Every structure is written in C-alpha cells, then in structure tokens.
Amino acid sequence: MKKIFFYLTFFVIFIIILASYFLFTKESNSLEIILPFPLENEAQSLIPMGETIDHSNSMGHPGIDFKWNYSAKIISSAEGKVKTIKKHKGEDNWDVIVRSGDYIIEYQELASYNLSLSEGTVIEKGSFIGHPANYPVGDYRDNYQIHW
C-alpha cells in the first residue's frame, strides 16, 4: 500500500510540475508590429478597418488600405515566414501572405513584390516586401495603395 501511495504522490507531483511548465513558459499570443512602410513614406490617406461608407460588406472594411501618390516602399510589419505569394483575385497585382506565430499578415494589391521572396522564406521585421499597385481614379493618375 505504501508503494502505491508513493507512486501516486510522485505522479501527482510530476503532473503539477509539467502543468506549471506549460502554463508559465508558453509564449503569449501577442504580436508586436510596425507600419508596413517606412515612416518617411507616410501614407497620404487610409481607409480604416470596419469602414462601411465605401464598402457594402455588413462587417465593414476587412483591413486597412494605405494610399500614396507615388510608389512607396512596402516593408514587413513583423518577422515571420512567407506562406503564400499569389495573384490578387484575377488581377495583375500580387498578394504576399506571411505567417507570424499565430497570426497571418496579408500585403494585398502589390504591383510588384521582392523576387527574393518565395514560400517558406523567413523574413525579419522591416524587410522589403514590394510596391503598391496604382489604381487611377478620375483625374488622379497616381493613386497607389495596398490592402493590409
């Protein structure tokens, strides 16, 4: 009986130690990001997440559109691994999708992307991703934007 009590006590202590390890050493699900462009390339305007004036989606705009009147440099807002590079919904533009821990960051509507990137490429925060696409509107011939 003493042996069973000893092994049961040992097992319980082992489970407590194991649970403590996973509870207190697991990384948090937070992510520190920067803007997807260098500060000297400050966007002239943006369409915020949730905006419903120009978007009929009942949930609102599902991201942030940054706009410039020139082809700004787009950079990685966090470190991660390139998950996918694909054409943007039948257009001639590109989407670069990066996994950063539990998060997915999408750089959509790029006119061009960094050709050294491919699926599986590990990137650092601030790495060059590409350049925004130009969507001329009315008299505005220079209307560069990305969807982030």
Side-chain angles (χ1 to χ4, degrees):
M1 189 69 161
K2 286 183 181 181
K3 261 187 173 176
I4 293 174
F5 180 74
F6 172 78
Y7 286 118
L8 186 58
T9 303
F10 176 78
F11 179 73
V12 169
I13 291 171
F14 176 74
I15 295 298
I16 291 170
I17 291 170
L18 191 62
S20 297
Y21 173 79
F22 285 108
L23 287 173
F24 298 112
T25 62
K26 185 175 182 197
E27 292 182 24
S28 71
N29 289 335
S30 64
L31 176 67
E32 182 180 311
I33 61 172
I34 60 173
L35 290 168
F37 51 86
L39 292 180
E40 63 267 15
N41 290 350
E42 183 178 352
Q44 274 76 40
S45 68
L46 63 86
I47 296 176
M49 187 178 298
E51 178 274 330
T52 57
I53 297 169
D54 294 323
H55 294 84
S56 59
N57 181 344
S58 64
M59 300 292 289
H61 188 242
I64 301 172
D65 287 349
F66 292 102
K67 297 183 179 194
W68 298 265
N69 60 4
Y70 61 96
S71 183
K73 179 181 175 183
I74 305 304
I75 60 174
S76 174
S77 58
E79 60 187 29
K81 186 183 284 189
V82 176
K83 182 179 180 220
T84 308
I85 298 173
K86 63 180 183 175
K87 288 284 194 178
H88 179 76
K89 300 176 187 171
E91 298 179 15
D92 288 332
N93 301 322
W94 295 93
D95 295 344
V96 175
I97 301 169
V98 176
R99 174 174 285 285
S100 185
D102 293 336
Y103 299 91
I104 300 290
I105 302 171
E106 296 186 18
Y107 306 87
Q108 295 181 351
E109 302 176 30
L110 297 168
S112 62
Y113 68 91
N114 181 347
L115 296 177
S116 70
L117 299 178
S118 61
E119 291 183 15
T121 301
V122 175
I123 58 174
E124 297 297 318
K125 187 186 301 184
S127 298
F128 174 63
I129 298 288
H131 291 281
N134 188 12
Y135 291 96
V137 177
D139 292 335
Y140 299 103
R141 305 312 316 152
D142 296 324
N143 185 42
Y144 296 89
Q145 72 178 35
I146 64 159
H147 179 79
W148 181 65

